[in-house]
Amino acid sequence: MCGTARGRLIVSPTSRGAGCATATNIDFDVDFMQGRIVGNQEVVSAEACMERVAITGVGIVSPLGQSAGEFTSGLQDGRVRIVEAPWADPAAGRHAWVSTIEGFDPHAWMDDRVVDGTDVFAQYAIAAAAQAVADHDEELDAERTGVVLGTTMSGVQSLSEAQRALDLEGPQAIHRKLNIKAWPNMAAGQLALRWKLHGPLLTVSSACASANDAIGTAAQMIESGRADVMIAGGTEHGLTEILYWAQTSYGMSQGAPDPAMAMLPFDVRRTGIVEGEGAAVLVLERYERAVARGAHIHGVVRGYASLSDGFHPSSPDPSARWEAEAIRRAHADAGLAASDVGAIVAHATSTPKGDTVEIKAVNEVFGDRGDSLLVTSIKGSVGHTGAASAAMGVIAGLQAMDAGALPPVGGTSEVEDGAQFRIVTGEPAKADIGVVQVNAFGFGGQNSSLVISRD
């Protein structure tokens, strides 16, 4: 649509959230090319705040455990699950650390045929989604339920194994189902197949922001009326030797000699990333529908924003301008002020540049909040779980609101100077938390932020 129109706009508060209506009785020009309403004294957003979307199911497979209870209990206890990688050679000075899942049995979650035709990243997603759908506690309406799932590395393990088989034994050794094991969309596809769904089906690959973008996109689909229920989250299994050494050569990890020092978000001694793995999946539902059927509501998706840093393939803009803008836009989408946010689950990947820029962004948006703004990161405990990390952060935030305590950053003790907020270390920080923000900033300039609330 293009062109302009003129008239009078009368705005009144709606059920989409207090603070979303910013003005009343305004003379305006509508510029359809620019997508904005220009008032006689101010510019008013033409997009209303996000409709509240209920979270009625959660599921997770993580290095701390294969249920939401095990995962959040481990976070609250400050447990760190970082172990030596199988390709490490300490005697030769080659230290390599990963955060892995122990004892995962795909046969406990799916039949032999599905196991044979899926990579581990899809198997993790199936297990997490099965938990979330069971928690949702309602038979899914096939035509009104969809899936949006994030992944970055997808079937890299299957591809790596296939290349090795080709090199050693020739083409006949390649698994006949390699394509459907390796393609990024197959985790989401397997979820739709499991429950025979016919709603929207999407895969998001926006690096570390993938799960935030998947959850935000799913919430928007519910808001738009395209679905009543959405299965959303992220999954990752990229723990292969070739990727580990590639990341090390790129400077993402320094191979610290002590696992306790390998990943320390916001710590002055931090040296880089430890890769993790797993999946975290939510079931989202139209809020009014969830209330009407008496569903247990874990929390509410209130706002979401995604934008491009537009600066560098892997480094954030040192000014923090666009990370800050993503945080602000999520507040605007939620119809909330920065002062309404009680806690942040930060991206905080333990890189020297990344953590410093995120501190700067949070300072810029929230000001000097001191102990009234609590900040944590799950990555000190489970490493960087890639496309699953933000969804894991959402589950951590939901539990923090429920328990009245934000978990500490696992391993971190010497916090970087300059933060105008409290980075939680050592033990959980007790507080009445009603709103949590989850940040996710990925390679390629993927900046996203999600706002969730208790109700």
Side-chain angles (χ1 to χ4, degrees):
M1 183 181 291
C2 61
T4 60
R6 173 164 291 181
R8 182 172 293 273
L9 174 67
I10 300 176
V11 182
S12 60
T14 72
S15 63
R16 292 187 172 208
C20 299
T22 57
T24 62
N25 202 26
I26 304 168
D27 293 318
F28 66 87
D29 292 329
V30 181
D31 184 341
F32 291 111
M33 288 294 289
Q34 296 298 318
R36 62 179 184 171
I37 301 173
V38 184
N40 55 357
Q41 293 185 333
E42 60 182 314
V43 176
V44 184
S45 172
E47 182 179 352
C49 301
M50 175 179 280
E51 177 183 328
R52 290 195 298 173
V53 174
I55 301 169
T56 54
V58 298
I60 189 168
V61 175
S62 82
L64 288 179
Q66 297 176 39
S67 71
E70 291 175 319
F71 170 69
T72 56
S73 176
L75 290 179
Q76 292 284 351
D77 291 343
R79 284 180 52 207
V80 175
R81 168 64 186 164
I82 293 176
V83 299
E84 194 170 73
W87 49 82
D89 186 358
R94 293 201 323 177
H95 298 284
W97 309 105
V98 290
S99 186
T100 59
I101 294 169
E102 281 190 336
F104 177 75
D105 178 11
H107 296 278
W109 301 100
M110 64 209 79
D111 62 34
D112 292 348
R113 184 168 175 267
V114 175
V115 172
D116 183 57
T118 51
D119 184 90
V120 178
F121 89 104
Q123 294 170 5
Y124 286 163
I126 292 167
Q131 297 172 40
V133 171
D135 186 33
H136 173 70
D137 195 25
E138 180 198 36
E139 184 175 349
L140 300 176
D141 182 336
E143 294 188 17
R144 298 295 299 165
T145 303
V147 181
V148 185
L149 204 65
T151 187
T152 297
M153 297 301 181
S154 57
V156 66
Q157 176 172 302
S158 292
L159 288 171
S160 180
E161 291 173 352
Q163 183 65 59
R164 183 181 295 274
L166 176 64
D167 292 342
L168 295 177
E169 302 176 50
Q172 71 280 359
I174 297 174
H175 196 293
R176 68 186 185 88
K177 295 183 179 179
L178 177 61
N179 284 339
I180 64 171
K181 287 163 68 81
W183 285 346
N185 70 308
M186 291 310 298
Q190 286 289 343
L191 302 190
L193 290 169
R194 184 183 182 98
W195 287 284
K196 303 186 186 312
L197 304 178
H198 305 292
L201 176 60
L202 294 175
T203 296
V204 176
S205 186
S206 49
C208 315
S210 296
N212 256 6
D213 289 337
I215 295 166
T217 299
Q220 290 172 341
M221 287 187 167
I222 291 173
E223 182 183 26
S224 71
R226 297 179 186 180
D228 294 324
V229 175
M230 293 293 295
I231 299 169
T235 186
E236 204 78 277
H237 177 70
L239 301 182
T240 60
E241 183 174 4
I242 188 171
L243 285 177
Y244 178 86
W245 294 119
Q247 291 164 356
T248 300
S249 67
Y250 196 59
M252 293 167 62
S253 174
Q254 301 302 316
D258 181 355
M261 300 289 292
M263 188 159 188
L264 300 172
F266 293 131
D267 197 297
V268 295
R269 301 164 296 166
R270 66 186 183 273
T271 60
I273 290 172
V274 169
E275 287 297 321
E277 62 175 343
V281 175
L282 312 177
V283 177
L284 307 183
E285 181 176 354
R286 188 175 303 282
Y287 185 81
E288 292 79 4
R289 181 182 186 278
V291 171
R293 72 179 184 87
H296 173 65
I297 298 175
H298 295 279
V300 179
V301 179
R302 294 289 297 274
Y304 160 67
S306 178
L307 56 83
S308 172
D309 209 53
F311 177 75
H312 187 271
S314 57
S315 294
D317 185 330
S319 74
R321 175 184 177 184
W322 298 109
E323 289 189 9
E325 183 63 17
I327 294 169
R328 287 194 187 98
R329 289 188 188 182
H331 295 164
D333 194 42
L336 297 172
S339 58
D340 294 318
V341 178
I344 297 173
V345 180
H347 185 57
T349 59
S350 185
T351 60
K353 292 180 181 178
D355 289 9
T356 298
V357 171
E358 189 168 8
I359 288 172
K360 184 182 291 188
V362 173
N363 286 347
E364 179 181 327
V365 174
F366 292 91
D368 191 353
R369 288 275 301 272
D371 286 351
S372 71
L373 180 63
L374 305 175
V375 177
T376 191
S377 169
I378 67 168
K379 295 181 179 69
S381 291
V382 296
H384 193 344
T385 55
S389 60
M392 290 185 179
V394 170
I395 292 176
L398 292 171
Q399 192 271 342
M401 290 188 288
D402 183 60
L406 191 73
V409 183
T412 293
S413 59
E414 298 180 26
V415 175
E416 180 175 335
D417 291 335
Q420 297 175 343
F421 47 87
R422 179 183 171 188
I423 297 171
V424 180
T425 61
E427 60 184 25
K430 295 182 179 180
D432 182 15
I433 304 167
V435 179
V436 174
Q437 191 149 17
V438 180
N439 291 336
F441 308 126
F443 276 17
Q446 305 279 172
N447 292 345
S448 72
S449 193
L450 194 74
V451 177
I452 59 174
S453 68
R454 189 164 45 209
D455 48 35

